[in-house]
Amino acid sequence: MIRSKSIGGLFLTALVTVIGQSAYAITLVPGDLSKPLPGTNSAALANLTGGTLLDSLVANFLSPYWSGQVYTTVIKETTGKLSFLYQIKMVTGGDHNITRMTTTDFTGFTTDVDYLSDSFTGFGFVAPVNTPSNPFFADRQTADVVGFAFRDGSTIMGLTAGQTSSVMYVRTDATNYTKGDSYIIDGKVASVSSFAPTGSVPGPLALIPFGVGLLSSFARRRRK
């Protein structure tokens, strides 16, 4: 009987873990390639949608193929951790679609990602225009870069002219932020300013030069 309860408890824990991940985000670690995104209802993200807007930026992008804007915000969740939200508006495109967006720099931070599937319009975002306008996959091929892919590998070939994407998010364990960069990609690459997490205090390695400087100063005073 005890064995049965133990197995049942383990199963329930595993089930809650799986449900929790699919309900809130997909966790990315460095080296992850093309993880499918299920989409998340904003009601399931009360910590995020009930958070505080810290900063926002609208950046224009232009390439020989397309033009548009990227809207980026930094949200302080009710937990105190920071989330970074993105939305792409493609104005012109011709025969070229936007297939991918990447954003940096997330080195040293956790990244839980997905998109809001219910036309979230908080924090100044607008409802998506035309469907599907959501990313299908996310990746973190290297420690610094998180990517979203807008082609499904068969019929949907990316964002087209006149489309506005769903709101994408990267939830982190950061408590401070700084300037970052995002990149719109399809053959050509357009760079825009955005935001990125940053550490609040220097780590032990960063303090070594400071410590060496203090020792040197002390040694000079002793010689005098």
Side-chain angles (χ1 to χ4, degrees):
M1 189 69 172
I2 295 176
R3 179 183 176 87
S4 175
K5 287 183 177 179
S6 176
I7 293 174
L10 289 173
F11 175 77
L12 181 60
T13 300
L15 181 60
V16 169
T17 300
V18 170
I19 291 175
Q21 180 167 335
S22 63
Y24 300 110
I26 298 298
T27 298
L28 294 178
V29 297
D32 277 344
L33 305 175
S34 298
K35 282 197 169 185
L37 297 176
T40 304
N41 191 294
S42 59
L45 288 173
N47 286 340
L48 191 162
T49 56
T52 303
L53 175 64
L54 298 183
D55 215 335
S56 63
L57 177 66
V58 179
N60 295 317
F61 63 85
L62 178 66
S63 87
Y65 293 161
W66 24 247
S67 67
Q69 293 89 37
V70 177
Y71 183 46
T72 308
T73 67
V74 184
I75 307 300
K76 182 178 181 180
E77 297 198 12
T78 57
T79 60
K81 305 301 183 182
L82 300 187
S83 288
F84 300 83
L85 281 62
Y86 310 86
Q87 188 173 45
I88 302 172
K89 180 181 180 181
M90 186 173 177
V91 178
T92 62
D95 295 331
H96 295 271
N97 301 339
I98 294 174
T99 59
R100 182 167 168 77
M101 185 194 85
T102 61
T103 185
T104 64
D105 181 346
F106 292 89
T107 303
F109 296 97
T110 60
T111 52
D112 296 330
V113 307
D114 206 347
Y115 67 92
L116 295 170
S117 58
D118 58 343
S119 300
F120 177 72
T121 57
F123 306 124
F125 290 104
V126 299
V129 176
N130 295 333
T131 55
S133 55
N134 53 277
F136 292 94
F137 304 97
D139 60 80
R140 190 178 179 182
Q141 298 179 25
T142 57
D144 56 331
V145 180
V146 170
F148 294 92
F150 291 92
R151 58 189 304 173
D152 66 355
S154 57
T155 58
I156 307 301
M157 303 305 290
L159 293 175
T160 60
Q163 282 192 320
T164 299
S165 75
S166 302
V167 177
M168 300 160 279
Y169 62 82
V170 181
R171 304 177 77 189
T172 74
D173 56 349
T175 55
N176 284 293
Y177 69 97
T178 186
K179 179 186 178 297
D181 294 290
S182 294
Y183 302 87
I184 308 302
I185 303 169
D186 179 30
K188 299 291 184 180
V189 178
S191 172
V192 297
S193 295
S194 59
F195 303 107
T198 186
S200 57
V201 295
L205 291 178
L207 292 173
I208 289 176
F210 177 69
V212 171
L214 286 179
L215 290 174
S216 299
S217 176
F218 178 75
R220 286 195 298 271
R221 287 198 298 269
R222 288 291 298 268
R223 286 196 295 269
K224 291 178 181 179

